[in-house]
Every structure is written in structure tokens, then in C-alpha cells.
Amino acid sequence: MALYSEKVMDHFRNPRNVGVIEDADGVGEVGNAKCGDIMKMYLKIDDGIISDVKFETFGCGSAIASSSMATELIKGQPVSEAMKLTNKAVAEALDGLPDYKMHCSVLAEEAIRSALADYEQKKGQSDSAAKD
Ligand code: FES
């Protein structure tokens, strides 16, 4: 059996949503200290819906495929749904990852959570500024 599924290879070779959103509503950056890979997610959120998402990943092929698939899974989704995205769901959508590569999908889950936390924090600040 091939080590990587066709979906992993496809998202590694043709990653979706690569890039930067300059005026992002939420940005999250995470890294894995062991392998040194870094993932950065940018979210554009309109009326609680993720209208756009882009990523930059300096890492292995599985990390690139995981970020690409994760962006596809949350694009167009409400923030509440994106919060629930797990690394398992990302790996399943890729038709699986080898056990020792599961941490690459964890990076994608963490990057999205971190970008959403950044969004919530910024939103909280502007909401309280609006009340002043
Ligand atoms: Fe660390 Fe893939 S080897 S993210």
C-alpha cells in the first residue's frame, strides 16, 4: 500500500488557498517544536461566516496537505462549525495519514483555533469600543 493517499498527494502538489489575507479578521500561527514546522492561517469573516481563508505552511508534505484540506473544510462555514474542526476530521478527509504524521494534522487544527481565538479577541475589543 502506498504510504500516502492520493488525496494527500493531490493537496500536497496542488495546495488550495495558499497565501496571505492582508486585512484578515483573524490570524493564527503555530509550530511544532519537535519537527520545526510552522503553519500560519488567515481568516476573513463576514457575519459569522468564514468567507475566505488562506495559509502559509513551512513544513512537510503532510502539513501542507493538512492545511490545504483544513481550509477547504472550513471555507463558507460558520465560525461555530470551524471551532469544532478536529485533526481527526482533517486526516479522515485526506483518506488517512500515517500514524507518525498525525501531528501534522494537529498543527492544522491548532492553527485554525488560534486564528479563531485572534478573531474573537479582536471582535471583543471592537465590540467594547463600540459601547464606549
Ligand atoms: Fe511536523 Fe509534518 S513533520 S508537521
Side-chain angles (χ1 to χ4, degrees), residues 19-32:
V20 174
I21 300 176
E22 294 294 350
D23 58 341
D25 297 306
V27 181
E29 184 173 328
V30 293
N32 181 298

Side-chain angles (χ1 to χ4, degrees), residues 32 35-37 39 59-63 100-101 103-105 107:
N32 181 298
C35 64
D37 290 359
M39 201 179 280
C60 73
S62 298
Y100 66 96
K101 285 286 179 181
H103 79 270
C104 315
S105 61
L107 222 47

Side-chain angles (χ1 to χ4, degrees), residues 14-80:
N14 311 296
R16 296 14 163 216
N17 308 309
V18 175
V20 174
I21 300 176
E22 294 294 350
D23 58 341
D25 297 306
V27 181
E29 184 173 328
V30 293
N32 181 298
K34 266 197 188 151
C35 64
D37 290 359
I38 296 170
M39 201 179 280
K40 197 164 181 181
M41 286 275 173
Y42 302 83
L43 301 175
K44 191 84 202 143
I45 297 172
D46 293 303
D47 288 334
I49 304 285
I50 297 176
S51 54
D52 199 9
V53 46
K54 295 233 183 292
F55 77 90
E56 292 176 302
T57 291
F58 304 95
C60 73
S62 298
I64 291 167
S66 294
S67 8
S68 170
M69 180 54 88
T71 59
E72 288 285 272
L73 290 172
I74 63 164
K75 205 173 188 175
Q77 295 290 321
V79 167
S80 54

